[in-house]
């Protein structure tokens, strides 16, 4: 598994000595298990007996191992995970956050429902790290760990995979008031039926479809953006999903990548060359309107088979119509 700067590779028996050194490092105690006296032999036994995901973080440029991430499944179906992690001397450079962001996304995509981690009260850096990754503080086991003559609280942090709403009406109810002329939006929504959506991310598809005409408003109206972010949270979107959705909304206009983006791009483009827009352009500037120049020069691109079929038919009809004027 690769991130921007790191590779997460599986732990091997040959890593036992390195793991023991990291875990016995006093500085690492604030990032790891809080225990001491790890040996190469005990780590070898642990690695051999472990059947859950266990990774070494390696810097891509230097091939240097710098830390570890470990998962233990809490249920037989591997849907709930217990997370542990530690860095050697590379703390404070964002490596662990980068690695965990990628791993957490991968786990959720693989069907994991919940990830949790226990952090000692003196381990402020790890607490802040988990909170930055959208883990919530769920409780404290008071004085549950004893070390060097002192009892320490143990804090439980958890993150649950949030499933955004797949109810189209949830999105329509919110956006309709912001469309002065919702006819175009209604056509896009109706024409979604042309496509097989069984294997698609419906929450993303409905978000893109209903917000396809509101990108400029989102980019220029900070109040509307704040209200939209709050609305998406109320529909169970997490921060990563929101960020991805906003990127997709902008990307779909010119260079759609996902199937959801391609579908909404094509439907939005079809509406730009539909009868209402043609009539509006004629009433404003006649055949000299920029829309007709774009049609004559074939500046419209479609990314789905259905979009191409309908688009080519509509463009051919419009060109013929313009020739007769």
């Amino acid at each position: 598994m690769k991130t921007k700067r790191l590779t997460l590779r599986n732990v091997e028996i040959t890593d036992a000595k390195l793991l023991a050194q990291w875990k016995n490092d006093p500085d690492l105690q604030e990032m790891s298990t809080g225990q001491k006296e790890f040996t190469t032999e005990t780590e070898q036994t642990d690695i051999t007996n472990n059947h859950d995901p266990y990774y070494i973080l390696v810097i891509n440029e230097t091939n240097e191992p710098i830390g570890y991430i470990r998962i233990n499944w809490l249920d037989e179906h591997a849907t709930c995970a217990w997370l542990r992690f530690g860095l050697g001397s590379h703390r404070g450079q964002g490596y662990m956050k980068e690695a965990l962001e990628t791993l957490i996304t991968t786990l959720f995509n693989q069907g994991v429902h919940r990830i949790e981690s226990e952090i000692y009260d003196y381990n402020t850096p790890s607490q802040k790290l988990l909170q930055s990754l959208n883990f919530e503080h769920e409780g404290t086991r008071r004085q549950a760990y004893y070390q060097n003559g002192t009892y320490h609280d143990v804090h439980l942090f958890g993150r649950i995979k949030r499933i955004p709403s797949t109810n189209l009406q949830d999105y329509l109810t919110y956006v309709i008031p912001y469309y002065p002329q919702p006819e175009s939006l209604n056509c896009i929504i109706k024409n979604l039926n042309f496509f097989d959506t069984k294997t698609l991310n419906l929450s993303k598809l409905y978000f893109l479809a209903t917000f396809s005409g509101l990108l400029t408003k989102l980019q220029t109206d900070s109040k509307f953006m704040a209200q939209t972010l709050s609305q998406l949270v109320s529909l169970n979107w997490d921060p990563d999903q929101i960020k991805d959705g906003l990127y997709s909304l902008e990307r779909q206009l010119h260079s759609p990548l996902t199937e959801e983006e391609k579908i909404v791009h094509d439907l939005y483009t079809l509406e730009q060359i539909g009868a209402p827009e043609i009539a509006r352009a004629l009433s404003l500037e006649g055949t000299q309107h920029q829309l007709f120049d774009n049609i004559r020069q074939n500046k419209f691109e479609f990314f789905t088979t259905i979009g191409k079929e309908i688009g080519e038919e509509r463009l051919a009809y419009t060109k013929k119509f313009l020739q007769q004027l």
Side-chain angles (χ1 to χ4, degrees), residues 10-50:
N10 293 332
V11 165
E12 302 171 356
I13 290 292
T14 53
D15 297 312
K17 182 177 180 181
L18 183 59
L19 287 166
Q21 290 175 345
W22 283 335
K23 294 180 180 180
N24 286 323
D25 179 354
D27 291 331
L28 187 60
Q29 298 308 310
E30 290 193 359
M31 298 296 289
S32 183
T33 60
Q35 301 174 7
K36 293 186 177 180
E37 298 179 359
F38 293 92
T39 67
T40 299
E41 290 72 23
T42 57
E43 288 301 302
Q44 287 176 335
T45 300
D46 188 30
I47 293 170
T48 301
N49 294 335
N50 180 66

Side-chain angles (χ1 to χ4, degrees), residues 266-278:
D266 285 5
L267 290 176
Y268 183 76
T269 303
L270 287 172
E271 285 308 302
Q272 305 314 299
I273 56 175
E277 287 299 315
I278 296 293

Side-chain angles (χ1 to χ4, degrees), residues 44-150:
Q44 287 176 335
T45 300
D46 188 30
I47 293 170
T48 301
N49 294 335
N50 180 66
H51 301 291
D52 298 339
Y54 198 171
Y55 303 98
I56 292 286
L57 280 61
V58 179
I59 297 178
N60 291 336
E61 291 185 359
T62 63
N63 204 36
E64 177 186 5
I66 63 171
Y68 70 91
I69 299 176
R70 183 169 187 169
I71 295 292
N72 287 112
W73 299 122
L74 299 176
D75 65 321
E76 61 180 10
H77 302 292
T79 63
C80 296
W82 179 33
L83 171 69
R84 285 178 282 174
F85 53 89
L87 281 177
S89 60
H90 289 74
R91 294 180 293 278
Q93 300 178 48
Y95 285 117
M96 186 56 73
K97 182 175 182 180
E98 181 179 318
L100 287 175
E101 282 179 331
T102 298
L103 178 60
I104 289 168
T105 299
T106 300
L107 291 174
F108 282 151
N109 288 340
Q110 291 175 345
V112 171
H113 175 70
R114 171 184 169 83
I115 304 173
E116 65 181 54
S117 186
E118 293 184 346
I119 307 294
Y120 302 116
D121 60 356
Y122 53 74
N123 186 351
T124 302
S126 288
Q127 293 180 46
K128 290 182 177 179
L129 172 60
L130 290 180
Q131 288 171 329
S132 75
L133 292 168
N134 303 310
F135 281 73
E136 296 185 18
H137 182 259
E138 297 182 337
T140 301
R141 293 195 292 122
R142 296 175 300 159
Q143 299 184 18
Y145 176 68
Y146 182 78
Q147 183 185 38
N148 298 329
T150 304

Side-chain angles (χ1 to χ4, degrees), residues 188 192 195 205 208-209 212 248-272 299-304 307:
I188 289 176
L192 283 173
F195 299 88
L205 178 67
L208 295 177
S212 58
S248 290
L249 188 63
E250 183 173 6
R251 187 171 59 217
Q252 76 178 9
L253 287 178
H254 307 292
S255 53
L257 295 179
T258 68
E259 197 63 26
E260 295 83 7
E261 293 171 16
K262 292 176 182 177
I263 288 173
V264 177
H265 169 278
D266 285 5
L267 290 176
Y268 183 76
T269 303
L270 287 172
E271 285 308 302
Q272 305 314 299
K299 288 190 174 181
F300 296 95
E301 185 176 10
F302 298 93
F303 293 84
T304 66

Side-chain angles (χ1 to χ4, degrees), residues 162 174 207 211 218 221-246:
R162 302 178 69 176
Y174 176 75
F207 167 75
F211 280 83
L218 282 170
D221 188 336
S222 59
K223 182 178 180 180
F224 177 60
M225 173 63 87
Q227 291 173 341
T228 298
L229 295 179
S230 177
Q231 175 68 14
L232 291 176
V233 169
S234 73
L235 295 179
N236 242 4
W237 288 58
D238 70 26
D240 291 337
Q241 292 162 337
I242 292 174
K243 181 169 65 175
D244 177 64
L246 292 174

